[in-house]
Amino acid sequence: RRALRLWSREPATTFGRLMQNVFLAILLGLFFFNIDETSSGTQDVSGILFLLVINVIFGSAMPGLTTFSPERAVFLMEQSSEMYHPSLYVIAKFTAESFSQIFFTAFFTTVVYWMVDLHNSASTFFIYFFIMQLVGLCGYSFGVMTSAIFPSADAALIFAPVIIMPLMIVGGLFANTERLDPYWVWLNYISFPRYGYMALMVNEYNSLDTLCPADPINGNGCTYRTGTDYLTYVGFEEWKWWYSVFGLFGMMVLFLFLAS
């Protein structure tokens, strides 16, 4: 109840986040407006899907990074009286903040999806929507964990990008998976941006039966004939979107456990 009251008493912060989401959604939507879902548009689609994951992660992590530091003194005082277990505090904060996280993620991702004109299918959209919600909640959990580890909000804001940058590098867009073997391949298993990105890629390109508007034999420059061809090229052909559900949920639980 206290966490919900604190959230309701900060309308300026809520309005600011809303305006931020409106601006970023329209900006990305205009940059990638009515994207080309053919072989020549694969780079654009890959780019917008990765940008969606990163924007949702950082947008969700920021409230988490500042959620604990202002209440640290009150929390320590209540802990000295053994009023509740730390895990209950973390779960309560997560539950209270989840309502706003779900709303802002839903607004941002829905606007971008239809402005960019990704695959027009109900099943594809709802899988995308579900994955993005998990990515947002995972990002918030990461922020809560980082806020709990470091003694101040300033320190958490400084070190959070340092922690998340290697996870972004192995996210699937910048570095080939084979390039990471053997020294950095372990980062794949803890990179929650990678789980989100792979799920979106598989969901999008498994829904595209053809990427060629005409017969490629006639010289129209078609590099990938089907969505499966492109997934094979990027190394995601054996991945299933629901694998990422387990990965994201597991990372979210891990972050909350470490925070408590």
Side-chain angles (χ1 to χ4, degrees), residues 8-247:
S8 66
R9 291 173 181 172
E10 297 179 348
T13 302
T14 302
F15 180 76
R17 287 192 65 191
L18 179 61
M19 291 299 99
Q20 180 189 51
N21 278 271
V22 169
F23 174 77
L24 289 175
I26 294 176
L27 182 66
L28 288 179
L30 291 176
F31 267 121
F32 295 91
F33 185 73
N34 198 17
I35 208 165
D36 184 13
E37 286 190 317
T38 63
S39 178
S40 60
T42 52
Q43 183 177 2
D44 288 341
V45 174
S46 300
I48 185 59
L49 292 180
F50 192 79
L51 285 174
L52 280 166
V53 170
I54 297 305
N55 273 277
V56 167
I57 287 175
F58 277 105
S60 300
M62 291 303 293
L65 289 170
T66 57
T67 190
F68 181 60
S69 296
E71 301 178 29
R72 185 181 296 271
V74 175
F75 171 78
L76 293 176
M77 180 183 66
E78 292 173 343
Q79 281 298 292
S80 65
S81 302
E82 298 183 352
M83 294 180 64
Y84 49 76
H85 193 275
S87 61
L88 293 180
Y89 174 85
V90 171
I91 293 172
K93 293 292 292 185
F94 176 81
T95 303
E97 290 287 343
S98 292
F99 297 106
S100 62
Q101 294 300 326
I102 290 172
F103 169 76
F104 288 120
T105 300
F107 175 83
F108 174 76
T109 55
T110 301
V111 171
V112 175
Y113 189 92
W114 296 114
M115 286 190 68
V116 171
D117 194 25
L118 294 171
H119 187 64
N120 190 5
S121 165
S123 60
T124 305
F125 171 75
F126 284 114
I127 292 173
Y128 156 89
F129 186 85
F130 178 59
I131 292 297
M132 293 309 298
Q133 290 293 347
L134 283 178
V135 169
L137 293 175
C138 200
Y140 176 73
S141 303
F142 171 80
V144 172
M145 177 197 69
T146 308
S147 178
I149 291 174
F150 293 98
S152 67
D154 291 338
L157 290 169
I158 290 172
F159 284 99
V162 176
I163 297 172
I164 204 171
M165 183 60 68
L167 306 182
M168 290 172 52
I169 292 175
V170 301
L173 181 66
F174 300 121
N176 188 286
T177 303
E178 295 179 357
R179 186 179 188 81
L180 305 174
D181 192 38
Y183 302 109
W184 301 105
V185 70
W186 59 273
L187 284 172
N188 291 339
Y189 301 103
I190 62 172
S191 175
F192 60 99
R194 180 180 178 85
Y195 288 129
Y197 179 62
M198 287 198 298
L200 295 185
M201 287 284 286
V202 170
N203 179 52
E204 178 73 15
Y205 281 104
N206 273 341
S207 303
L208 298 176
D209 295 328
T210 178
L211 297 177
C212 296
D215 187 356
I217 298 177
N218 295 327
N220 65 350
C222 184
T223 307
Y224 315 104
R225 300 190 62 180
T226 66
T228 303
D229 289 342
Y230 185 63
L231 290 177
T232 301
Y233 171 75
V234 297
F236 297 163
E237 71 278 5
E238 296 183 1
W239 194 258
K240 308 295 182 184
W241 68 266
W242 49 269
Y243 293 174
S244 292
V245 173
F246 291 107

